[in-house]
Amino acid sequence: MQSNSPVPAWAGALVGLVSGAVALGVAQLVAGIVGPTTFPVVAVGDAAVDLTPLPVKDFAIRAFGSNDKAVLLGGVLVVLAALAALLGTLSRHRPAWGYAGFAVIGAIGVTAVLTRPDAAPLDVVPTLVGVAVGAWALRRLLHRGLATSATTTAPQAAEPPAAAPHADASQAAASGPRADASKDAVPAAGDVPLREAGVRDAAARVAPSDGSVASGQAVPGASAQGEAERPAVMRAGGGAPGFDRRRLLTGVAGGVVVAGVGVVLGRQLGGRQAVDAARVGVALPRPAVPAKAVPAGADLRIGGLSPFVTPNRDFYRVDTALVVPQVDPADWTLRIHGMVDRPVELTYADLLKLPLTEADVTLTCVSNEVGGPYVGNARWLGARMADVLRRAGLRADADMLLSTSADGFTCGTPVDVVMDGRDALFAVAMNGEALPVDHGFPVRQVVPGLYGYVSATKWVVDIKVTRFDRDEAYWTPRGWSAKGPIKTQSRIDVPKDGGSLKAGDTTIAGVAWAQHTGVDAVEVRVDGGQWRQARLAEVPGPDTWRQWAIDWAATPGRHTIEVRATDAAGRTQTDRRAAPAPDGATGWHSVTVSVA
Ligand SMILES: Nc1nc2c(c(=O)[nH]1)N[C@H]1C(S)=C(S)[C@@H](COP(=O)(O)O)O[C@H]1N2
Ligand SMILES: [Mo]
C-alpha cells in the first residue's frame, strides 16, 4: 500500500464511516418514499435470517431472545461500518477502491432486496440512490480534506467562485458529470476523469483552472489503466497538497446531519404512523359468540406467577420479520384459492361484518425450551376460519392450508384441525383492542392446540388450499416438522430458578398447558421425593393454560423442585428431555433454590 496521501488514515476511516451513514440515511429516506419494506439493511438482515443455518438460529433465539432481531441488524450495521471505514482509508490513495466497495455493497443490497418474497422492481431504488450518494459523499469529503490547503498554496483568485470553501453545493452542481454519482459507483473507463477529480487530482487543482477542467484535460479519453499517467499529472501540478482538518471535519459534520435527517424523515414517511392511526381508528364489532366467562378462580393472584391473561405489552413475540409489516387495513385483503370450488377474496370491512367469535386461547412457540417464556394467553376476537373456508368450498382431498403473510412468511395448517369445530380464528383483536402491529395487525390466525409456526400466521393475506405432499411452509425445509401439535407442558414460575428464600411455609406455583385437551393434574416433587398433587386454578375451557400452586415447608439447604402435568386424556408428560427441534421440547421443568 502506498501512503502518498496527505489525508491521515483516521480521517479516511471517518470519511468512510460518514459516507456510509449518508448512504444509509439517503436509502432510508428513499425507502420511506418508495415503501417501508425495502430498506436495504433490513433486506440483508432478512436474507441472513433465511440463510442462517438452523443451529445458529436456535442459538440466536436462545442467546438473545426477543432481542435477536436487534442483535442481527446491529451486526449487519457493524460489518457495514467496518467496511465503510476501510473503504475510506483505502480511497485516500485510490478513489477507485471507494467506488468499487460501494458498488459491491450496493450489489449485495440489491440482491437481498430482490430476493425478498414481496420484492418489487421499485424496491432497488433506495439501495441504488443510497450507494450512489454515499460514493459521491466519500469523494467530496476526501476532496475537502485537501482542497483548502491546495487553494491556500495557490492564489485563491485562480479558482472560479464555485470552488470557494463555502460553496460546495453549487460546486457540485457546477461540476455536472462529477456529481453524477451513479457513474461514480461503476469503476469503468468513464470513471477516470471522475477519479481524476477526486483525491489524486488535488495537485492538479493547484494549477490555475477548475479541478474538473484540469482533470478533463489531463487524461482525455484515458482508460482505467491510465493510472500510471497520474503521478506525472501530480508533478505537473507542483506543490504538495496538505491536509486540512477543519475543512474535513465540517464536511463530516454536514454528512452526519444529512444521514440523521434521512433516517428520521425516512421513518416518518415509512407509513408507521399511518398504520398506527388506522389501528387506533378500528371500531371493533361486538362478538356474535362471546367468550365463556373466565371463572373468578382462574387467577390465583400469587406474586411472580404469570397472570391468567397475558397483557399485550408482555406477550412474547416470535417471527422472522426484522421490520414489522405495516399493513393498512384499507388495503388488506385475504385471498382464498387453490383446491376450492370458488376462490374468495375478503376485505377487512367484509371480515368485520361476519359474525365474530371471542375465545381465550394460549399461544405457544415450538422454540420454547422446557420452562421457557414463549407462551402467552389472550382473549382473541375473530371470524371463524371454518366459516370463511366453507364459503370457498374445500375439496375433499385437500389437507393443508398454506397461509402467507404480508412479508412472505408461510405456514401450513392441517385442514381437519381448523374444521373440527374448535375456535380457529382469523383474529382481529387481542385482549379487547385491535391486534397490536407486532402481533399481526390487521388480521392473524389463531388455532388452539397447534404451535405458532404451523398455525398463527400474523399479517395473513393469502390462503392456498393444498396438500402436505405438494407444498411446504417456511419452517419445514429448515428442519422443523410439517405438523406441530402442542405438547403438554408445565412451568414453575415461583420460586425462580437459582433464587433464595427463607425457610418455612412458602408456595410453589406456575402454569401448565395442553391446548384443546386441557390440563387435569399437576404434580410437584422436591429433591426427587414423592409426587404431590398441586391445586389447580379454574379455566374457561381446554384451550388456555392453567395456573397451579402447592404449599411447601421449605427447609434450609439447596433443593430441586420438579413439575409434571397430566392432560385430560390421562397422558402424563414424559421426563425424556428433547430439544425444541423438530416438533417441540419435552421433559420436566425443574428449578433449584437455596433456602436459608
Ligand atoms: N407472519 C408471520 N407470522 C408468524 C410468524 C412469523 O414468523 N411470521 N411466526 C409464528 C410463530 S413461530 C409464532 S410462535 C407465533 C407467535 O405469535 P406472537 O408473536 O403474536 O406471540 O406467530 C406465528 N406467526
Ligand atoms: Mo413459534
Side-chain angles (χ1 to χ4, degrees):
M1 165 70 54
Q2 337 130 277
S3 58
N4 57 356
S5 171
V7 177
W10 68 263
L14 182 64
V15 162
L17 270 178
V18 171
S19 306
V22 167
L24 291 183
V26 169
Q28 176 83 259
L29 179 61
V30 178
I33 298 163
V34 177
T37 61
T38 54
F39 187 55
V41 175
V42 172
V44 170
D46 275 326
V49 171
D50 293 354
L51 296 175
T52 303
L54 191 68
V56 179
K57 207 173 313 203
D58 284 347
F59 164 79
I61 289 178
R62 264 200 307 280
F64 306 121
S66 298
N67 292 326
D68 56 349
K69 286 165 243 308
V71 170
L72 175 62
L73 280 185
V76 173
L77 285 175
V78 166
V79 170
L80 274 180
L83 273 177
L86 180 69
L87 289 177
T89 321
L90 296 174
S91 300
R92 293 174 305 138
H93 312 294
R94 279 170 160 270
W97 273 106
Y99 304 141
F102 270 98
V104 168
I105 292 171
I108 293 172
V110 163
T111 309
V113 164
L114 284 181
T115 51
R116 295 289 78 215
D118 48 355
L122 207 60
D123 291 353
V124 302
V125 174
T127 314
L128 293 181
V129 177
V131 161
V133 175
W136 175 81
L138 180 72
R139 195 204 60 191
R140 275 308 303 158
L141 290 174
L142 283 174
H143 202 174
R144 272 185 81 86
L146 292 167
T148 297
S149 6
T151 52
T152 48
T153 55
Q156 279 282 14
E159 298 243 351
H166 58 275
D168 262 336
S170 56
Q171 187 188 8
S175 52
R178 288 175 31 192
D180 182 355
S182 63
K183 265 195 205 161
D184 290 21
V186 186
D191 176 44
V192 169
L194 301 174
R195 240 190 284 137
E196 192 58 29
V199 180
R200 286 283 195 92
D201 78 320
R205 292 177 57 83
V206 179
S209 68
D210 175 84
S212 58
V213 178
S215 59
Q217 289 164 345
V219 279
S223 71
Q225 289 92 42
E227 210 44 73
E229 297 170 46
R230 208 70 43 78
V233 173
M234 291 183 77
R235 274 192 300 277
F243 167 56
D244 188 329
R245 180 151 143 246
R246 197 187 57 85
R247 228 177 101 83
L248 180 123
L249 290 181
T250 52
V252 158
V256 169
V257 170
V258 168
V261 168
V263 168
V264 170
L265 256 183
R267 293 228 162 148
Q268 247 156 31
L269 291 171
R272 192 153 301 193
Q273 280 86 345
V275 170
D276 284 349
R279 178 176 172 272
V280 170
V282 169
L284 292 172
R286 291 189 170 284
V289 182
K292 278 218 204 83
V294 173
D299 210 315
L300 301 174
R301 297 174 195 285
I302 293 170
L305 170 61
S306 305
F308 177 73
V309 177
T310 312
N312 289 355
R313 66 176 176 282
D314 298 336
F315 209 95
Y316 80 96
R317 175 185 160 205
V318 169
D319 54 60
T320 60
L322 288 170
V323 165
V324 178
Q326 303 291 319
V327 182
D328 190 327
D331 302 333
W332 180 88
T333 60
L334 177 65
R335 204 165 74 92
I336 297 166
H337 60 104
M339 297 169 71
V340 296
D341 300 330
R342 307 162 290 277
V344 165
E345 187 158 348
L346 283 175
T347 65
Y348 190 63
D350 294 338
L351 192 74
L352 291 189
K353 271 183 230 137
L354 297 176
L356 302 186
T357 295
E358 195 181 49
D360 294 303
V361 177
T362 297
L363 289 192
T364 311
C365 182
V366 70
S367 297
N368 198 41
E369 300 276 354
V370 171
Y374 301 139
V375 53
N377 182 53
R379 171 162 293 186
W380 310 93
L381 173 71
R384 301 189 78 81
M385 289 176 70
D387 290 351
V388 177
L389 292 165
R390 247 180 248 114
R391 287 187 170 196
L394 301 180
R395 303 261 174 80
D397 52 341
D399 63 3
M400 179 207 222
L401 304 173
L402 183 70
S403 51
T404 304
S405 67
D407 64 340
F409 167 84
T410 57
C411 175
T413 311
V415 167
D416 56 346
V417 171
V418 170
M419 304 303 287
D420 76 357
R422 71 184 74 191
D423 294 324
L425 303 177
F426 290 121
V428 295
M430 178 178 185
N431 290 331
E433 54 177 283
L435 286 179
V437 175
D438 282 359
H439 294 289
F441 182 76
V443 181
R444 76 170 304 166
Q445 295 181 182
V446 170
V447 182
L450 302 182
Y451 285 123
Y453 81 110
V454 291
S455 69
T457 313
K458 304 191 272 190
W459 318 288
V460 62
V461 292
D462 188 282
I463 290 180
K464 178 184 176 189
V465 180
T466 179
R467 296 181 50 84
F468 278 93
D469 59 16
R470 287 183 201 163
D471 277 297
E472 255 186 349
Y474 183 88
W475 285 110
T476 311
R478 291 170 171 83
W480 295 83
S481 168
K483 298 193 181 170
I486 293 175
K487 295 178 179 175
T488 300
Q489 267 297 340
S490 48
R491 184 177 78 190
I492 301 165
D493 286 348
V494 272
K496 288 258 170 292
D497 190 31
S500 4
L501 46 140
K502 278 211 290 268
D505 288 339
T506 184
T507 303
I508 304 169
V511 285
W513 56 90
Q515 288 93 321
H516 208 56
T517 305
V519 170
D520 253 15
V522 171
E523 297 161 285
V524 174
R525 70 177 180 184
V526 179
D527 300 329
Q530 280 290 311
W531 287 104
R532 292 194 295 139
Q533 295 287 339
R535 50 180 194 278
L536 297 175
E538 293 178 76
V539 276
D543 294 339
T544 70
W545 61 13
R546 187 162 198 178
Q547 292 185 349
W548 57 265
I550 190 168
D551 299 327
W552 178 40
T555 55
R558 267 173 80 78
H559 298 289
T560 298
I561 307 166
E562 290 171 290
V563 66
R564 69 179 187 194
T566 299
D567 73 13
R571 293 172 297 230
T572 300
Q573 267 181 262
T574 173
D575 66 336
R576 208 161 41 80
R577 278 264 169 184
D583 61 358
T586 62
W588 298 332
H589 187 214
S590 71
V591 299
T592 301
V593 293
S594 18
V595 180

